Amino acid sequence: MSPTLLLLLALGLGLAGWLAARARAWTFRRASTSGRLASLPSYHAWYVALWIVLPVLAFVAIWSATAPGLVTQSVLASPAADQLPAFGFQRQTILNEARAVATGASQAVFNPLAREFVEPYREAISRYNWIGIIVTLLIAFLGGAYSFLRLKPDFAARNRVEKIVMAILLGASLVAILTTIGIFASLVFETVRFFGMVSPIDFLFGTHWAPDPMANAANPDPTRYGAIPLFWGTLFIGAIIAMIVAIPLGLMSAIYLTQYANPKVRAWVKPALEILAGVPTVVYGYFAALTIAPAIRDFAVSLGIANASSESALAAGLIMGVMIIPFVSSMADDSIAAVPQAMRDGSLAMGATTNETIRRVIIPAALPGIVAGIMLAISRAIGETMIVVMAASTAANLSANPLESMTTVTVQIVAMLTGEGSFDHPATLSAFALGFVLFMVTLALNFIALRVVKRFREAYE
């Protein structure tokens, strides 16, 4: 039985428990001389339903992860397994074909040997499906019986339900934290492995980036792993060129929409501006590669610059800046709109012009939100990949000329992880080191944003 069917079974059992507990609570209420219970009948119902559903959901999660392995182990224990290759890709391919036919995902097998495993797979899947159903029903029965027998007129079901809900909310809030910790731990582990092969000094301060996945992994050339060109390309494209475009346009559009625009104009312009945030990055990449980059190259040639590249950092940075305008504009718009109207009125009443009110009152008051939007935009820009691949190439050049082709950290991460090298090769492990540096830079930007916001907010208060 698939996890979806087990989940539906759990929800059905939970609904049955909910109805039974609610009926029992109403029986208590009618039998009580005062007609009152310690908790409403609905809380009794939710208490029983949660005791049924939550343990079953935990079992389904564990069973979904372990059942496929148990099925495979059962098949490998059959006499037909003696015909399988000892190990390797062919062995796994035969098992995958047999499983696909047994589950109905495929109609036939290409390897004749896989036919011998179709029936063992069907038997094992059927057997473990029944085991899953029986254990699910048993867990639901035990949870339901335990909670149902605790129901009494003076039972504080509301307190118990609220504690369970608080635990669920706490678990949901910890997901992001635990995910971040997991990402950080995996990056650190692989980065340490990489720095065991290549010196951190060569990596962080080298100026030549040309990893070779086919080179000898036991004796890598550290001079080929200098990441300075990648760091510079990321900074130049994502934090300089893109921000030169995004910050002025985003901030000015927010000021216009909040201070000058007619309500009817704002109702049309603001949604149109925010549509830019929903455009897929591959579309921006095509636009940059097919329209903007050739136009920049032709313009540079018309000015007498003969070595202008058709894949330039300027093209990628310009389109990236346009892409993140909504991030800056939306945050600045919300921050400016949140400034109390009394501050605007007070400034105008003191004789200040609208321009002076915006510059000296509204912008300083809204500065924390504006800074947060800019930092969010920078974090978004330095993590962009598709636009750089299509408009700025994968060449790791260390140059301040925006008309030359460059690359960024994220592009090289993709290139290293999708190459033909093994995961034990320094070229592949270098992607984790790059990811670790990018993670730390993004984390530093967030800390800087928090400090700036706190400082200006305290000064304002």
Side-chain angles (χ1 to χ4, degrees):
M1 180 175 287
S2 67
T4 303
L5 295 179
L6 288 178
L7 290 176
L8 293 176
L9 178 61
L11 294 177
L13 294 172
L15 178 60
W18 190 92
L19 294 173
R22 189 170 184 272
R24 184 175 176 83
W26 277 108
T27 302
F28 291 150
R29 188 169 185 175
R30 286 191 294 267
S32 175
T33 56
S34 62
R36 300 185 63 181
L37 301 176
S39 299
L40 294 175
S42 60
Y43 283 107
H44 290 76
W46 280 112
Y47 178 74
V48 174
L50 290 173
W51 261 101
I52 294 175
V53 173
L54 294 181
V56 169
L57 290 180
F59 168 73
V60 170
I62 297 173
W63 187 250
S64 299
T66 58
L70 295 175
V71 170
T72 301
Q73 290 298 323
S74 177
V75 171
L76 293 177
S78 65
D82 297 336
Q83 307 176 43
L84 282 172
F87 57 88
F89 177 76
Q90 185 180 5
R91 173 190 177 98
Q92 192 60 41
T93 301
I94 293 172
L95 293 176
N96 289 339
E97 289 185 14
R99 177 188 286 272
V101 174
T103 57
S106 178
Q107 300 299 321
V109 296
F110 294 99
N111 195 315
L113 185 57
R115 296 192 185 96
E116 303 294 330
F117 296 92
V118 173
E119 284 305 319
Y121 258 114
R122 284 176 179 165
E123 294 175 1
I125 291 172
S126 176
R127 181 168 62 254
Y128 281 104
N129 280 345
W130 279 109
I131 292 175
I133 294 173
I134 293 172
V135 175
T136 298
L137 293 174
L138 181 60
I139 292 174
F141 174 77
L142 293 177
Y146 170 78
S147 57
F148 192 81
L149 293 176
R150 299 191 68 187
L151 299 182
K152 297 178 182 178
D154 59 346
F155 181 66
R158 173 183 174 181
N159 296 339
R160 307 301 176 87
V161 171
E162 289 180 348
K163 288 181 179 179
I164 295 174
V165 173
M166 287 180 62
I168 294 174
L169 295 177
L170 177 61
S173 64
L174 290 176
V175 168
I177 298 175
L178 295 177
T179 302
T180 303
I181 293 174
I183 293 172
F184 181 77
S186 63
L187 287 175
V188 169
F189 178 76
E190 301 295 344
T191 301
V192 170
R193 291 182 60 196
F194 172 72
F195 286 149
M197 304 175 183
V198 177
S199 169
I201 303 299
D202 295 324
F203 175 75
L204 295 174
F205 300 101
T207 58
H208 177 62
W209 178 265
D212 184 6
M214 298 293 105
N216 183 11
N219 189 24
D221 183 3
T223 61
R224 301 175 68 92
Y225 291 90
I228 287 293
L230 308 185
F231 300 151
W232 168 248
T234 302
L235 177 68
F236 192 52
I237 296 174
I240 297 179
I241 299 177
M243 289 303 107
I244 290 175
V245 175
I247 292 176
L249 295 179
L251 187 56
M252 288 189 291
S253 63
I255 292 173
Y256 170 75
L257 290 175
T258 55
Q259 304 300 315
Y260 295 105
N262 184 280
K264 293 183 178 179
V265 175
R266 175 182 170 84
W268 283 95
V269 174
K270 185 173 174 60
L273 183 64
E274 293 181 347
I275 285 176
L276 291 175
V279 177
T281 56
V282 67
V283 176
Y284 284 111
Y286 273 120
F287 181 65
L290 301 179
T291 305
I292 301 300
I296 292 175
R297 180 199 58 204
D298 295 341
F299 178 73
V301 171
S302 67
L303 295 178
I305 304 176
N307 61 344
S309 174
S310 59
E311 296 176 323
S312 63
L314 182 60
L318 289 177
I319 296 302
M320 197 180 297
V322 172
M323 180 190 68
I324 60 179
I325 285 175
F327 290 91
V328 179
S329 177
S330 181
M331 293 290 289
D333 189 306
D334 295 338
S335 300
I336 293 173
V339 175
Q341 183 64 35
M343 297 184 65
R344 297 183 178 89
D345 296 340
S347 176
L348 295 173
M350 294 295 292
T353 63
T354 302
N355 181 285
E356 291 172 336
T357 299
I358 293 172
R359 289 188 293 107
R360 299 186 178 183
V361 177
I362 296 177
I363 296 300
L367 193 59
I370 295 174
V371 172
I374 292 174
M375 290 300 176
L376 176 64
I378 294 176
S379 299
R380 176 69 179 85
I382 64 176
E384 175 54 38
T385 304
M386 187 58 66
I387 294 176
V388 182
V389 169
M390 302 181 71
S393 84
T394 58
N397 294 324
L398 183 60
S399 171
N401 183 1
L403 298 177
E404 291 187 11
S405 57
M406 295 184 186
T407 191
T408 61
V409 169
T410 54
V411 172
Q412 290 303 309
I413 290 175
V414 174
M416 294 298 102
L417 291 179
T418 56
E420 298 180 356
S422 67
F423 268 82
D424 293 328
H425 197 281
T428 306
L429 294 176
S430 66
F432 294 95
L434 292 172
F436 177 76
V437 173
L438 187 64
F439 179 87
M440 297 304 296
V441 169
T442 305
L443 189 64
L445 286 175
N446 291 335
F447 275 122
I448 293 172
L450 290 174
R451 294 293 299 173
V452 171
V453 168
K454 183 178 180 181
R455 176 183 176 185
F456 280 95
R457 183 172 292 166
E458 288 177 348
Y460 171 67
E461 292 175 349

